[in-house]
Amino acid sequence: MNKHCATIAICLAIAMPAVAAENHGGDVVYTKPVKSVLFSHKLHVEEKGLSCDMCHARTFDMQALKAQENADFTMKSLVEGKYCGACHNGTMAFASNTRCAACHTGVKGGGPPRGGKH
Amino acid sequence: MKQSKHDLGSTKNEGMENVPMEERRQFLKMGLAITGIFAGGTIFSAVSVIDRVFASSEEFTAQYPYKPHYGMILFQNRCVDCERCVAACAETNHVPHEGYRTRILMKEMPDAVGLKREFIPVLCNHCNVPQCTRVCPTKATYKDPVNGIVMMDTSKCIGCLTCQEGCPYNARYFDEHRQAVDKCNFCFDTRLSKGEKLTACAAACPASCRVFGDLSDKGSDLYKAIHQLERPVWVLRPEAGTKPSVFYTKDTSAVAFK
Amino acid sequence: MANGAETAQLTLNGLESMVTTRLKSGSMGYYFLLLLCGGLVLAAAGLGIHAMVAGHDKYYNVYREVPWGILISTYVFFVVTSTGLCLVSSIGHVFGNQDFMPIAKRSVFLSIATILSGFFVIAFEIKIPWRMAIYNVISPNLTSNIWWMGTLYGVYLAFMFAEYVFLLLDRHKPAVFCGFSGSVAGIAAHSNLGAVFGLLMGREFWHGPYMPIYFIASAMMTGCSVIILFHFLGYRINKEEMPVAMKKALRVTAKLGVLLICVILFFTTWKMISGLAGRPAGKYEAVMALLSGPYAVNFWVFELGLGMLFPLVMFIRSKGENLKMMFSGALAMIVGIFVMRYDLVVVGQIVPVYHELGVNEYKHLLSYAPSLYETVITLGGFGLTAFLFLLGEKLFAGHKVEENH
């Protein structure tokens, strides 16, 4: 399954490099165990230039929110180098146990004062 | 396959060093800590924490006025705005959905170096010179003589809302169900008085952002987190002169997850 | 004394027939106005009680960050007016300045009417007013300016009431005593109202020792305009020619008004400059909201234009003779002062307490606009003043003061 996805991804990446960017998985917002963790394909693929297989070869399936079904999708695992922590380990990218608010984007995203009528 | 030319090795690890921290360092070198807040690029108040929160260093080493003297320190960098604290607070204290006793504020700085967003949890600061209790006409809100918690006696509240005007922390709201102003009381009635050691929010926090405890207990984590010189500790709105029992800090060491 | 004895001899029947004849002397317009004002008061009371029962949050536009709205500012307006009426009128009959003597009775009556209107409005703003009646007495907080203000205004009302009764009975000495005590209570109460705002640390627009003083000065300014307005109207209603002494009294009142407008202009100028110089955090944003932000029209047109400059010109150009000019100046001034109070209360709250923190939630100024309920209750307050004024004119036959005391 993983391999299968990776193959498609690679094919896509090679066959139509220009379109590839648009065919990535978009934004994934995790809700478990805590709400509002944002993973952005745009950032990782378009801006940072990472290839699909860097993630989709082993670490993640091409199915949004699949990872969060696993009981070990926690910070402890990340720090141990699983999931996002495979890269977010302090050498390849900033470590998972720093810069919390980079991945955690917040439940409400900041609105007008609550209780206010405008 | 080699579609990406990106050299991952060169990807910098910017770590925790965002702008405010750098500026703080500068001040720390001068033996000072930041008690103000970082406002759009300028730190407007840099005074020794000890002098700012208590009138003088002597007072600082002297006894805290209450026993236990409940307080809290918030590790601002650890908050991820998961809002479990807000939910736990609402459930424990029957806070109606229109109101809140604690909430998380979000600060975004698109131009910042590294981290561009931070969350700031706010709650009643249980001030040691509270303005709300001074302005209340009927003593419906008062500072508990034993533990220093700013309490509400709902039966006396006339709903003039002057305490809301007086609070520099927006910690109060009028609760139509209670028919009185409502605010955080460190879960005194719902938890502390029943033998629990933590407030609902501190207990619910998965990121150990909120450290609750007794300021007068020198062995407590809270005491140790505040009475040190390695990390800056500050309070919100020091210029209001209310001398809060709620402190803020950021730790530079990586958070340990269990 | 002879007069007092006469009053004592009045029988109830006599009184009744006197009152009915006086009331029946009004024109159709008079009754229409009376009814209209009465209707407004009833509507306001109805909506106010409904909001109280069904929950203020549903019908008022005030909210957590802006807990005080137009009802508080209207209350402030009415008590400012009442205190002003009391102070200006007491210059005559308490402190013995003959020129101010003729305006005493009507002014004292109006100061009662306006403070009652103030209480009427605030009763619907305070969420649980009946608790106030109990706990203000059994659980007083002596450090609370609100407590002092409420208590002292209670005392003030009692003295003003007694003073008016003594004036009616023509018992000068006790009237002077009550007038004096009322003025003292009024000044104390009113400066405490200023302190309610002025002593709040962390509300930069209000904070400062300046507030209590400003409140007293602006009360006197308001008093002058209200005296001119209602005396002019009073003589209109009773269709009488104004006696010379009364004209003279209004002339000095207008002069005093000019002086006080200048004082308030001075205060306002420095308040604005102090909010600009060095851009004091919190205050600067509020002052800018007034000068060039969402409250600029309120400030330039209403506060400054109608509230101060236009009446200043009118009062000066009238030379104290042209009553119509003085009347239009006074009317404009009252409108301006109402807006002044509104801005004072609302602009003091629009800079969020966490503004300096730079968080998304509080980056912008807060906004507030009165709801329908709040507006009607405000109008009801004005209705009550007008109703009592109209009734008083007939009931007390134009509040005539006998000369030569």
Side-chain angles (χ1 to χ4, degrees):
Chain A
M1 168 66 184
N2 259 346
K3 222 174 171 183
H4 185 61
C5 294
T7 323
I8 299 174
I10 294 162
C11 294
L12 278 171
I14 294 167
M16 333 167 247
V19 192
E22 286 147 34
N23 283 354
H24 59 56
D27 282 357
V28 180
V29 179
Y30 293 104
T31 53
K32 280 195 301 187
V34 293
K35 287 183 191 147
S36 303
V37 174
L38 173 72
F39 172 81
S40 160
H41 271 94
K42 188 170 174 288
L43 183 123
H44 286 88
V45 176
E46 291 178 24
E47 289 174 30
K48 305 294 171 191
L50 305 183
S51 64
C52 312
D53 65 323
M54 290 185 71
C55 295
H56 289 300
R58 264 172 293 115
T59 323
F60 291 104
D61 284 345
M62 276 202 194
Q63 187 190 340
L65 303 184
K66 184 139 187 269
Q68 75 175 24
E69 298 308 322
N70 304 341
D72 70 339
F73 195 43
T74 62
M75 289 310 293
K76 186 169 178 287
S77 306
L78 263 63
V79 174
E80 285 165 0
K82 293 184 204 148
Y83 302 107
C84 322
C87 304
H88 288 278
N89 53 11
T91 40
M92 203 181 262
F94 62 89
S96 294
N97 53 2
T98 59
R99 283 212 223 166
C100 318
C103 304
H104 293 270
T105 54
V107 166
K108 63 182 179 293
R114 249 179 261 180
K117 298 173 194 171
H118 291 277
Chain B
M1 187 59 211
K2 274 260 151 10
Q3 175 235 14
S4 160
K5 296 250 159 54
H6 195 87
D7 182 4
L8 278 180
S10 72
T11 326
K12 272 207 306 300
N13 172 18
E14 268 128 1
M16 286 296 299
E17 272 75 281
N18 49 30
V19 181
M21 289 310 282
E22 272 163 18
E23 275 204 54
R24 288 213 172 84
R25 290 251 164 74
Q26 289 291 316
F27 283 100
L28 275 174
K29 275 189 207 140
M30 301 187 276
L32 298 168
I34 308 308
T35 62
I37 34 195
F38 186 73
T42 36
I43 284 164
F44 70 76
S45 140
V47 205
S48 160
V49 182
I50 297 164
D51 285 351
R52 210 33 160 140
V53 179
F54 305 93
S56 69
S57 322
E58 278 91 303
E59 247 180 87
F60 172 70
T61 41
Q63 284 282 299
Y64 277 91
Y66 304 100
K67 187 78 197 153
H69 190 129
Y70 287 122
M72 190 181 278
I73 188 163
L74 295 122
F75 286 77
Q76 194 170 301
N77 60 306
R78 295 183 191 170
C79 179
V80 294
D81 188 28
C82 65
E83 307 219 346
R84 283 191 190 168
C85 52
V86 177
C89 171
E91 198 188 311
T92 310
N93 300 304
H94 311 289
V95 177
H97 71 273
E98 322 81 72
Y100 59 87
R101 289 183 177 194
T102 184
R103 99 181 271 206
I104 316 293
L105 303 175
M106 173 154 102
K107 177 168 177 170
E108 276 179 315
M109 271 214 278
D111 305 329
V113 179
L115 192 64
K116 292 171 176 55
R117 183 189 301 120
E118 73 177 336
F119 297 109
I120 308 174
V122 290
L123 69 159
C124 170
N125 280 229
H126 296 280
C127 308
N128 292 299
V129 187
Q131 201 153 233
C132 50
T133 62
R134 178 184 72 76
V135 300
C136 176
T138 57
K139 295 185 180 164
T141 189
Y142 59 97
K143 188 108 175 122
D144 189 286
V146 177
N147 55 36
I149 293 177
V150 175
M151 302 273 200
M152 271 306 295
D153 179 345
T154 46
S155 66
K156 287 184 184 168
C157 178
I158 68 170
C160 65
L161 309 192
T162 316
C163 56
Q164 256 169 267
E165 297 288 357
C167 178
Y169 304 103
N170 188 19
R172 298 168 158 270
Y173 69 98
F174 189 79
D175 182 346
E176 295 282 345
H177 308 271
R178 284 186 176 85
Q179 280 294 297
V181 166
D182 187 44
K183 67 178 291 295
C184 158
N185 60 359
F186 277 155
C187 294
F188 188 77
D189 54 337
T190 46
R191 290 175 64 99
L192 298 187
S193 64
K194 294 180 180 157
E196 297 275 1
K197 291 277 169 281
L198 293 181
T199 60
C201 56
C205 180
S208 31
C209 165
R210 294 172 184 250
V211 177
F212 175 80
D214 174 5
L215 283 166
S216 67
D217 171 8
K218 291 194 170 151
S220 70
D221 289 348
L222 176 66
Y223 184 93
K224 288 180 196 154
I226 292 167
H227 300 92
Q228 43 76 31
L229 289 173
E230 284 146 57
R231 264 181 283 108
V233 174
W234 66 95
V235 296
L236 296 183
R237 305 209 60 198
E239 80 283 6
T242 51
K243 300 194 195 314
S245 301
V246 170
F247 300 84
Y248 289 79
T249 190
K250 291 185 185 183
D251 61 349
T252 39
S253 57
V255 180
F257 288 99
K258 285 147 265 145
Chain C
M1 267 332 282
N3 235 330
E6 239 177 70
T7 330
Q9 278 163 14
L10 268 179
T11 59
L12 269 182
N13 277 342
L15 200 69
E16 195 190 318
S17 67
M18 190 181 83
V19 167
T20 31
T21 37
R22 281 182 183 178
L23 278 181
K24 276 183 181 162
S25 68
S27 63
M28 278 309 280
Y30 172 82
Y31 293 119
F32 173 74
L33 274 177
L34 199 64
L35 229 68
L36 186 81
C37 295
L40 259 179
V41 177
L42 287 181
L47 293 193
I49 290 167
H50 180 232
M52 212 180 272
V53 174
H56 289 99
D57 57 335
K58 291 194 199 75
Y59 299 100
Y60 293 178
N61 275 359
V62 283
Y63 55 100
R64 183 177 184 133
E65 281 79 9
V66 182
W68 284 352
I70 196 170
L71 295 185
I72 291 279
S73 80
T74 307
Y75 165 75
V76 173
F77 172 80
F78 278 121
V79 300
V80 164
T81 310
S82 177
T83 316
L85 281 163
C86 160
L87 293 182
V88 176
S89 72
S90 61
I91 296 175
H93 72 112
V94 175
F95 301 107
N97 185 325
Q98 287 295 327
D99 290 343
F100 283 95
M101 217 60 117
I103 57 174
K105 247 184 176 176
R106 187 180 271 109
S107 304
V108 172
F109 178 82
L110 284 171
S111 77
I112 296 170
T114 44
I115 191 128
L116 287 177
S117 307
F119 287 160
F120 174 81
V121 172
I122 196 102
F124 297 118
E125 162 73 29
I126 287 188
K127 312 278 171 176
I128 315 121
W130 57 89
R131 282 196 198 142
M132 184 171 72
I134 305 166
Y135 291 104
N136 256 17
V137 180
I138 65 170
S139 180
N141 183 4
L142 300 186
T143 61
S144 161
N145 299 112
I146 285 266
W147 185 85
W148 282 105
M149 181 206 59
T151 309
L152 287 167
Y153 267 131
V155 173
Y156 165 87
L157 178 62
F159 276 125
M160 295 313 277
F161 210 78
E163 180 186 9
Y164 190 69
V165 171
F166 286 128
L167 282 176
L168 276 185
L169 297 177
D170 220 359
R171 308 241 330 249
H172 198 62
K173 270 221 179 92
V176 167
F177 171 76
C178 289
F180 179 73
S181 313
S183 307
V184 173
I187 290 179
H190 201 57
S191 47
N192 260 294
L193 179 58
V196 165
F197 297 97
L199 300 194
L200 289 185
M201 305 271 282
R203 293 274 180 185
E204 306 307 333
F205 184 68
W206 292 336
H207 185 235
Y210 149 99
M211 269 297 182
I213 311 167
Y214 170 81
F215 263 60
I216 297 293
S218 72
M220 302 226 5
M221 165 170 118
T222 317
C224 292
S225 64
V226 175
I227 285 172
I228 293 171
L229 182 94
F230 280 116
H231 280 82
F232 180 86
L233 288 178
Y235 281 89
R236 270 293 166 93
I237 290 169
N238 292 314
K239 301 192 193 76
E240 284 172 23
E241 183 60 31
M242 213 181 259
V244 185
M246 180 60 84
K247 278 191 176 150
K248 191 169 175 211
L250 291 190
R251 186 155 64 231
V252 277
T253 307
K255 270 191 192 152
L256 184 67
V258 168
L259 173 74
L260 285 158
I261 293 174
C262 294
V263 171
I264 295 295
L265 268 175
F266 180 78
F267 263 120
T268 309
T269 311
W270 281 107
K271 168 118 198 161
M272 291 298 155
I273 293 177
S274 74
L276 295 176
R279 304 199 170 183
K283 197 171 177 180
Y284 176 75
E285 290 84 350
V287 165
M288 286 311 284
L290 276 174
L291 292 182
S292 60
Y295 294 86
V297 173
N298 280 12
F299 179 73
W300 294 108
V301 177
F302 286 94
E303 290 196 32
L304 209 65
L306 288 183
M308 295 190 266
L309 298 181
F310 179 73
L312 191 67
V313 171
M314 280 307 178
F315 285 1
I316 292 174
R317 282 200 48 201
S318 72
K319 300 201 175 70
E321 305 285 343
N322 188 335
L323 280 175
K324 280 215 176 100
M325 255 187 190
M326 283 160 63
F327 169 76
S328 59
L331 188 66
M333 188 158 156
I334 289 165
V335 174
I337 290 171
F338 180 77
V339 177
M340 224 180 262
R341 297 294 147 257
Y342 179 81
D343 288 352
L344 178 94
V345 169
V346 174
V347 174
Q349 303 168 78
I350 56 168
V351 181
V353 290
Y354 284 130
H355 193 59
E356 290 293 309
L357 213 51
V359 291
N360 294 7
E361 289 85 350
Y362 298 116
K363 264 188 189 141
H364 305 287
L365 294 185
L366 301 168
S367 61
Y368 163 81
S371 69
L372 175 70
Y373 273 55
E374 288 172 306
T375 312
V376 173
I377 295 169
T378 301
L379 291 177
F382 283 93
L384 186 58
T385 295
F387 183 81
L388 292 175
F389 165 71
L390 290 172
L391 205 64
E393 286 305 321
K394 290 294 168 197
L395 216 52
F396 301 112
H399 304 283
K400 293 228 174 42
V401 182
E402 284 79 22
E403 312 261 330
N404 308 323
H405 270 292

